[in-house]
Amino acid sequence: MANDMFLIFNNGLRMPALGIGTWQAPDDEIEFALDLALETGYRHIDTAPVYRNEKAIGRVLKKWLASGKIKREELFITTKLPPPANNPAYVEPTIKNSLADLQLDYVDLYLIHVPFGLFMENDDFKRDANGLLEIDTSTDHIAIWKKMEHLVALGLTKSIGLSNFNQEQIQRILNNCTIRPANLQIEHHIYLQQPNLIKFCETQGITVTAYAPLGSRGVASLNKMVGVERDLPDLMDVPLVKEIAKNYGKTPAQVLIRWILDCGLATIPKSTNPERLRQNFNVFDFTLTEEEIKKLKSLDANIRICDFKFFPGVERHPEFPFDV
């Protein structure tokens, strides 16, 4: 089965609407999963330096490209400028580090991962005596974006965009850019739909990619590491989702993914489980009805799962993008 759904960027480039996410996937798992994903038909791969697996992804990509089984132009690779590199001086060297790890000459999309800046120390985020992250309040989105635009001129990325930015922050970029953002990546699922933000992006010609389409329950383990106890919803146990899945002979995860695609967004579900990885891709042989789409939209509860509480104290940053 082929992925025959694409989002068209404002620069004319095409991004496969369904990709594979790689967050919280250690090297051995991601190498196995990516091999299987490419065999299955995935061509859109989303990663980031803070996932600490770009070198493993690079080994898989090099193997596939060297074998001739796939051409570079068939792939769509996204990576991101990490929080400690939210500084104009770090933009170019950081993408070059990612390209070296990925063993690529360019990426298809480069995103500013978050709008806030953090400091690093001894290969980890720097913390104060109370265990709170030390925040870099000098973050200058406009200066950073100008350097992002320069990456396009250098041929290091085909497109540039944003991730986890709110409408005000996006508008600031739009007011001062030469190259408009091509894509915004945000948490989006049936319990967090952000319709106003998505509508704004539509009016501005910015495509949207949904991360955590299945709820990203792995966030719970990160929260626990920093002492945050919080119940997270199980999106695949929602009665309406299960009912629709049963009607189509599909899994709840497939319905959640298809709903996002039918709403005109891209999505990047992550799995390293072989069966689920294949199932997540097997969503191109059915479509939801307008009534089913409407019913699922009615479930919006403004429940943010990835609220960055696993970054203790980050909400103190003046550019923290979410309501607290």
Side-chain angles (χ1 to χ4, degrees):
M1 181 174 293
N3 180 354
D4 58 358
M5 297 182 69
F6 296 85
L7 268 58
I8 309 300
F9 285 175
N10 51 30
N11 59 10
L13 297 182
R14 301 197 314 168
M15 177 177 71
L18 179 61
I20 182 169
T22 61
W23 186 37
Q24 293 185 293
D27 285 4
D28 56 342
E29 288 187 15
I30 199 59
E31 288 194 54
F32 172 78
L34 273 188
D35 261 328
L36 181 57
L38 291 169
E39 289 283 2
T40 301
Y42 288 89
R43 294 296 180 262
H44 174 180
I45 300 167
D46 181 272
T47 187
V50 294
Y51 303 166
R52 298 179 181 268
N53 55 18
E54 287 189 324
K55 288 184 178 179
I57 292 170
R59 289 193 291 269
V60 177
L61 294 178
K62 180 182 180 182
K63 179 178 68 174
W64 274 75
L65 292 167
S67 72
K69 290 193 294 183
I70 198 168
K71 297 178 181 177
R72 175 62 185 91
E73 55 267 27
E74 296 177 77
L75 295 170
F76 191 99
I77 311 297
T78 299
T79 191
K80 309 175 187 81
L81 182 75
N86 268 345
N87 181 303
Y90 299 154
V91 174
E92 186 176 333
T94 301
I95 194 175
K96 287 181 175 178
N97 285 340
S98 284
L99 291 173
D101 288 345
L102 294 167
Q103 302 191 54
L104 297 173
D105 296 325
Y106 68 91
V107 291
D108 299 274
L109 178 61
Y110 197 55
L111 305 175
I112 303 177
H113 202 157
V114 293
F116 50 81
L118 301 171
F119 290 111
M120 291 289 286
E121 183 178 56
N122 300 324
D123 200 34
D124 199 0
F125 293 111
K126 190 175 182 180
R127 301 170 188 270
D128 63 20
N130 298 315
L132 301 179
L133 294 177
E134 292 198 11
I135 58 177
D136 181 358
T137 58
S138 67
T139 307
D140 182 345
H141 294 157
I142 306 308
I144 293 168
W145 189 256
K146 294 301 179 185
K147 292 296 185 179
M148 296 280 286
E149 292 177 333
H150 186 57
L151 300 181
V152 178
L154 293 174
L156 301 178
T157 182
K158 298 288 187 182
S159 306
I160 51 178
L162 306 166
S163 179
N164 298 301
F165 275 55
N166 61 33
Q167 183 172 327
E168 179 183 347
Q169 293 165 334
I170 298 168
Q171 187 65 63
R172 192 185 309 151
I173 297 292
L174 292 171
N175 291 345
N176 295 276
C177 68
T178 300
I179 300 176
R180 295 170 70 85
N183 183 258
L184 173 69
Q185 189 176 121
I186 54 171
E187 179 180 345
H188 178 81
H189 45 72
I190 55 171
Y191 281 174
L192 182 70
Q193 299 183 27
Q194 307 195 73
N196 292 336
L197 180 57
I198 289 173
K199 183 65 175 177
F200 170 77
C201 287
E202 289 175 354
T203 65
Q204 299 299 323
I206 301 171
T207 61
V208 176
T209 298
Y211 72 74
L214 309 180
S216 193
R217 291 176 62 79
V219 170
S221 60
L222 295 178
N223 286 344
K224 192 173 183 179
M225 288 173 61
V226 295
V228 175
E229 295 292 338
R230 180 177 167 222
D231 290 332
L232 299 178
D234 184 350
L235 303 188
M236 286 175 279
D237 196 41
V238 174
L240 177 60
V241 174
K242 293 197 292 185
E243 176 188 340
I244 295 173
K246 183 178 179 181
N247 291 341
Y248 285 99
K250 292 290 185 178
T251 67
Q254 289 170 320
V255 168
L256 293 170
I257 292 167
R258 185 70 218 195
W259 173 74
I260 292 174
L261 298 177
D262 284 339
C263 288
L265 311 184
T267 189
I268 45 172
K270 174 256 178 178
S271 180
T272 57
N273 176 283
E275 183 178 2
R276 289 196 292 269
L277 189 150
R278 293 189 185 99
Q279 287 175 346
N280 289 350
F281 193 78
N282 186 21
V283 294
F284 298 106
D285 57 352
F286 78 110
T287 58
L288 301 177
T289 67
E290 290 186 13
E291 183 63 23
E292 288 165 338
I293 293 171
K294 183 178 179 181
K295 286 181 178 179
L296 289 168
K297 283 187 175 182
S298 73
L299 299 178
D300 191 7
N302 199 33
I303 297 175
R304 188 179 299 278
I305 293 173
C306 187
D307 58 7
F308 292 96
K309 283 189 167 58
F310 47 80
F311 283 162
V314 75
E315 68 279 358
R316 299 171 300 154
H317 196 287
E319 294 292 349
F320 186 73
F322 311 136
D323 295 331
V324 294

